[in-house]
Amino acid sequence: MTPLREALHRLREHRPPERAHPELVDAGVAFTTVGGPLERRWRQAVTTLADCLRVVDGEQVLLEGGGYDGTWLESTATAATDVLDRFAPSVVRATHLLLARHARADGLLPYKVTAQGPAFTQIQMVTPLARGVWHHYLRTGDRDYLATMHAAAAAHDAWLARHRDTRGTGGVEAFCTFDTGHDLSPRFWGVPDRCLHGDAARYDDDVASLPFVAPDLTANVACQRRYLALSAAELGEDPEPWSRAAEASTEALLAQCFDPDAVAFYDRTADGTLLRLDSDVLLRVLACEIGDAALAEAALGRHLLNRRRFLAAAGLTSVAMDDPRFDGDHTRNSWAGPVNMLTMLRAPAAFDHHGHVAELLAVERPLLGAMAGHDRFPQCLDPASGAPGFADAYAPAVLWLLDAVERTCGVLERPDGETWLTAVPPTRLDGGHAAAASGYARTVRGVRHELVADDTVAEVHRQGQPWLTFPRGWRVVLDGDGEPSAVVGVAPRAVTGRLRGAGVDVELTVEPNQRVVLATGERVDVGLVAQRS
């Protein structure tokens, strides 16, 4: 039996991992490898996910895990639920509504909700909540949910406008370290951890540099307002005020925080100077869908894909490695240097939006290889080796692994109706972790898809029957009707091969990041940004 046939046989004999969420099981999600430890780690991730759930008011919600109590706005209810929506959508709905239910009368959303109740000592918002809400609505069509979450996000936006633009710049200000979740980062040296006296509307005016006009907070609000415009229109409201507000926030971000010479975003302190620390703030801004193709390409080339700066042995660091303030200690909760799994969970939003999917998979590959050999799911990793450090059972790490498997060698259902079939199987992982072949299954709109791949070719079986074949290094995009509509190059090189099946038989050479529309032959190409040493 060839590895490809064995992968298909193992996929069809698959049994769900212990304590797998019922919605994951109902979706027919399954993963297997022929050789290597990645299947074991995937099953461990599915099981560990159950430890990150808690029943609140009769419904399961997601917890941050990793020793962090409760559900957090900056991560659990945004970056983490954006991935969880493909595996347990009812948990996503309940997690979002938990935050809305605990909003203060003045509109402020809690930065976290624990068993002791909501907390409001800082704002701690990084990934746009309104985007995740919109995506969940696209998947479910739940208008009551959309109306509730739109109202909560709009009230929170109004609170920010009243209290977090004290200098009238149009940006959003940081009052303390925890506003951005950047514990121990030199970005906030000399700045209190929390807002003054635990009041998110006040900062310590004895700290001369406060308040900062913060690029990540401002980008977050700009992005949220764009999605609030979409939800407003869907609910029969006028979207134009939200669109204008989003544009104003973007203009303020560029005017206050962007340095075009450095191709970077920095905090502007109270005296008007820029706090020049190159950190994951850049990735956060890109992940909020800010900037054009030229900005994205320059940011990747100069910073994120530069091994002297952010591209570590496994993952992206939280502070540039060539900054003298960089501290790679991964044994503690630190944003002073180590690779943070929350950064990696946010990264796809930046790379996907700007079309740099091949670069993303190249960044993820060594991290996936490192995590295949881990025995736990940490928050922080050693930049030099990918070794696990601080924390365990951390939900963003669990969900990163589930996402990385699905986007590299699986069947990924998108909120826009597309389905991605990707053939970059784990046959080239380092550390003795390579498999001979892999298999992934998922039921999409009632149709069972099985994707098996080895180091050369991928096969897709639909409803148990052979359906498609295509080469390693391609992603085949299915449209809303489940038919092949495009091919995307996801390898860092041109890949020539043939797409056969589903009424298609075509030979193509597909460049990295190039999207070939099958119906017309049109090619959309953003080019490849090379890694730098």
Side-chain angles (χ1 to χ4, degrees):
M1 184 183 296
T2 67
L4 210 60
R5 299 276 73 75
E6 184 177 351
L8 184 61
H9 172 74
R10 288 171 58 85
L11 199 59
R12 291 176 174 173
E13 295 294 313
H14 180 273
R15 295 292 179 270
E18 178 187 0
R19 296 189 296 145
H21 194 275
E23 288 175 305
L24 183 150
V25 176
D26 290 345
V29 176
F31 176 63
T32 189
T33 61
V34 179
L38 191 55
E39 178 182 350
R40 173 188 59 81
R41 284 292 283 158
W42 182 88
R43 295 180 69 87
Q44 185 182 0
V46 172
T47 300
T48 304
L49 181 61
D51 297 327
C52 299
L53 304 178
R54 182 181 73 205
V55 175
V56 177
D57 298 334
E59 294 184 294
Q60 282 187 326
V61 300
L62 183 65
L63 306 179
E64 185 75 357
Y68 296 98
D69 188 21
T71 296
W72 295 61
L73 175 60
E74 71 154 333
S75 48
T76 326
T78 49
T81 53
D82 288 353
V83 173
L84 185 64
D85 220 6
R86 307 200 301 267
F87 301 100
S90 69
V91 178
V92 173
R93 179 183 186 277
T95 302
H96 288 168
L97 291 174
L98 175 71
L99 289 176
R101 193 161 61 246
H102 285 284
R104 258 183 6 195
D106 63 358
L108 179 63
L109 287 171
Y111 80 88
K112 69 175 180 179
V113 180
T114 70
Q116 287 70 48
F120 298 95
T121 55
Q122 63 253 16
I123 56 174
Q124 202 151 343
M125 39 178 269
V126 177
T127 302
L129 175 63
R131 180 173 63 193
V133 167
W134 179 248
H135 288 167
H136 182 75
Y137 171 72
L138 291 181
R139 292 181 187 276
T140 64
D142 187 341
R143 290 183 64 84
D144 289 342
Y145 155 86
L146 182 66
T148 298
M149 293 307 303
H150 176 86
H156 184 70
D157 182 273
W159 188 95
L160 292 170
R162 289 195 304 272
H163 298 287
R164 288 304 186 100
D165 185 18
T166 64
R167 291 153 61 184
T169 64
V172 181
E173 294 165 348
F175 286 1
C176 64
T177 301
F178 292 166
D179 273 343
T180 68
H182 264 142
D183 303 50
L184 300 187
S185 171
R187 177 185 183 188
F188 289 103
W189 281 354
V191 173
D193 286 341
R194 290 185 171 84
C195 297
L196 184 65
H197 303 317
D199 181 352
R202 299 180 65 191
Y203 63 89
D204 187 345
D205 54 9
D206 281 349
V207 179
S209 60
L210 288 179
F212 297 172
V213 181
D216 42 357
L217 299 181
T218 305
N220 182 301
V221 165
C223 188
Q224 289 223 114
R225 287 173 166 177
R226 286 196 294 274
Y227 282 91
L228 283 168
L230 293 175
S231 56
E234 185 70 13
L235 294 167
E237 301 175 9
D238 183 4
E240 282 307 307
W242 287 116
S243 296
R244 290 194 298 269
E247 184 61 31
S249 290
T250 303
E251 291 174 359
L253 169 67
L254 296 174
Q256 293 293 319
C257 302
F258 183 57
D259 181 341
D261 294 328
V263 192
F265 294 85
Y266 302 117
D267 298 292
R268 190 169 292 277
T269 60
D271 66 1
T273 61
L274 292 177
L275 197 162
R276 295 182 179 277
L277 175 75
D278 289 316
S279 71
D280 71 305
V281 162
L282 175 61
L283 185 68
R284 292 177 174 196
V285 171
L286 294 178
C288 288
E289 304 174 12
I290 297 295
D292 58 13
L295 174 60
E297 182 177 347
L300 291 176
R302 289 185 59 171
H303 301 292
L304 297 176
L305 300 181
N306 186 334
R307 294 202 174 276
R308 294 178 183 270
R309 310 230 71 209
F310 290 95
L311 186 57
L316 300 168
T317 59
S318 46
V319 168
M321 291 176 281
D322 58 0
D323 190 293
R325 293 162 289 187
F326 171 83
D327 179 359
D329 183 357
H330 64 299
T331 64
R332 56 186 178 168
N333 169 25
S334 171
W335 289 82
V339 173
N340 264 266
M341 290 309 300
L342 188 49
T343 293
M344 299 311 301
L345 189 66
R346 292 174 179 141
F351 284 80
D352 286 349
H353 177 75
H354 295 282
H356 291 281
V357 294
E359 293 92 336
L360 174 65
L361 296 198
V363 168
E364 290 192 330
R365 175 174 149 182
L367 181 56
L368 189 61
M371 287 195 71
H374 291 177
D375 60 355
R376 54 196 174 90
F377 292 95
Q379 173 189 328
C380 296
L381 304 180
D382 182 354
S385 68
F390 175 77
D392 184 15
Y394 184 54
V398 170
L399 288 160
W400 181 87
L401 184 70
L402 296 181
D403 177 70
V405 167
E406 199 161 76
R407 71 174 51 247
T408 58
C409 57
V411 181
L412 193 158
E413 190 175 8
R414 299 276 295 172
D416 61 6
E418 288 187 349
T419 301
W420 292 352
L421 310 173
T422 309
V424 186
T427 54
R428 301 184 184 184
L429 300 185
D430 285 335
H433 297 157
S438 66
Y440 197 94
R442 175 183 277 276
T443 299
V444 180
R445 291 182 287 277
V447 178
R448 176 77 168 174
H449 294 76
E450 299 164 321
L451 186 155
V452 293
D454 60 17
D455 203 49
T456 303
V457 68
E459 295 179 357
V460 181
H461 297 251
R462 191 158 75 164
Q463 296 294 79
Q465 299 299 315
W467 187 55
L468 282 178
T469 61
F470 56 95
R472 174 193 171 91
W474 283 8
R475 170 177 291 158
V476 175
V477 179
L478 308 183
D479 62 20
D481 295 323
E483 298 302 318
S485 62
V487 172
V488 177
V490 293
R493 56 184 172 81
V495 175
T496 299
R498 184 173 290 275
L499 176 66
R500 284 193 178 98
V504 179
D505 188 351
V506 59
E507 184 166 338
L508 299 168
T509 297
V510 185
E511 300 291 334
N513 297 323
Q514 193 173 66
R515 184 183 180 103
V516 182
V517 180
L518 293 173
T520 64
E522 177 190 3
R523 292 175 181 253
V524 179
D525 191 353
V526 302
L528 179 75
V529 179
Q531 296 182 3
R532 295 174 58 189
S533 298

